[in-house]
Amino acid sequence: SYVNPGEGFDLATPHTMDFLFSFRKGWLLYTPLMVLALIGIPSLARWRREAFAAVLVFFLADLWVISSWSCWWYAGGSFSSRSLVPAYAVLALPLGVALQRLIAVRGLRWPVVAITGLLVALNLFQTWQWTARVLPKDRITGAYYAAIFGRTAVPPGAERLLLVERPNTPDEHFTDEEGRYAERLLARLTYDDLPDSMRVLTPDDPFAPAVDIPFAVLTGRDHAWLRASARLWVGDTLPVAPPSLVVAFHHDGAAYKYRAVPWTLPADARRTWVPLTVDYLTPEVRSPQDDLKVYVWNEHGGTWRVDDLQVQVYERR
């Protein structure tokens, strides 16, 4: 049902380590009791041989498929890894065997009972933290986890340790009141090599040359803010609706997080340059090689002239 090229199965490169251990939504980090279930799978070979092969094959296949989804944290609507909850019916078998065998070892019964109780208590407390939004839905980092561990309220300044908050609307506006981002110029196209020192867009040639760069070259961080801008020349008449400034990422040639913002021209704008600026937060890229493209598109025809296509990058310091 997903048609977004930015999401899909990466079966050849599953995100298994992040899926299991990441502070963002790692299964074993937020449901540590299930470590006992994994320990119990080899024990099935001796104590419940008839179930061993089925449980092992099912769990490995399930983990591979689930952790291969590019959005391995499965959005923010759950605590821990909701995608593995249906597997608990099967994992209850090795969990039970592990507990049974550990308790049977002399001197381990009460330590195992105590550790199991602590793990259950931690899971319940962190579930409460998630409900109270002390643990955010999916923006958690290791530093933030350490700052709120065992707490019933978020300590002052801890929000700065979270992953960037991504807007739920297409309108994005970059502000950096705390000076946490460093600015640099990524590209500027002035078209000075053209006869009239500007780019002419026509129905037969509707695109201005694009800024095209892989995410891995754009930034080494998990995100960056972009500010794209260009100028549009408005003559004596308006031929048709104006062009759009387009910013998008591409995976295997298909666009995602596509934004096309048309120029809004003042009613009295004639024989003048009209600027347009678009702020854009990079998405959760599916691959570091996914490329950013920024260009002007003369979607509606007519003849237009553009100049000074520019992209600035703002990276976390």
Side-chain angles (χ1 to χ4, degrees), residues 139 210 312:
R139 299 170 55 211
Q312 293 167 287

Side-chain angles (χ1 to χ4, degrees), residues 28-166:
L28 295 180
L29 183 70
Y30 292 104
T31 314
L33 182 65
M34 297 310 291
V35 171
L36 292 176
L38 301 187
I39 292 174
I41 292 178
S43 298
L44 288 175
R46 178 177 180 184
W47 301 102
R48 291 292 184 270
R49 183 173 299 178
E50 70 279 9
F52 170 69
V55 171
L56 179 63
V57 171
F58 166 79
F59 176 72
L60 292 178
D62 192 37
L63 178 63
W64 174 52
V65 171
I66 289 174
S67 65
S68 291
W69 187 250
S70 58
C71 183
W72 54 265
W73 58 96
Y74 288 87
S78 64
F79 172 78
S80 190
S81 296
R82 68 184 183 191
S83 55
L84 267 178
V85 171
Y88 288 1
V90 174
L91 293 177
L93 297 174
L95 176 61
V97 168
L99 289 172
Q100 186 181 50
R101 302 314 307 167
L102 289 171
I103 289 174
V105 177
R106 168 173 278 184
L108 285 185
R109 170 174 292 188
W110 293 115
V112 169
V113 170
I115 291 172
T116 301
L118 289 173
L119 293 180
V120 171
L122 175 63
N123 186 257
L124 291 174
F125 178 71
Q126 290 187 330
T127 301
W128 175 86
Q129 283 185 312
W130 186 88
T131 303
R133 295 299 182 257
V134 178
L135 276 174
K137 290 184 175 181
D138 62 358
R139 299 170 55 211
I140 307 167
T141 63
Y144 181 86
Y145 183 90
I148 58 85
F149 187 81
R151 294 178 178 265
T152 58
V154 179
E159 291 90 347
R160 292 171 55 94
L161 304 174
L162 292 168
L163 296 173
V164 65
E165 184 171 9
R166 298 181 180 276

Side-chain angles (χ1 to χ4, degrees), residues 253-273:
Y256 64 98
K257 200 181 179 186
Y258 176 93
R259 287 195 63 195
V261 181
W263 263 265
T264 299
L265 304 180
D268 59 348
R270 296 295 184 274
R271 302 190 63 79
T272 186
W273 288 101

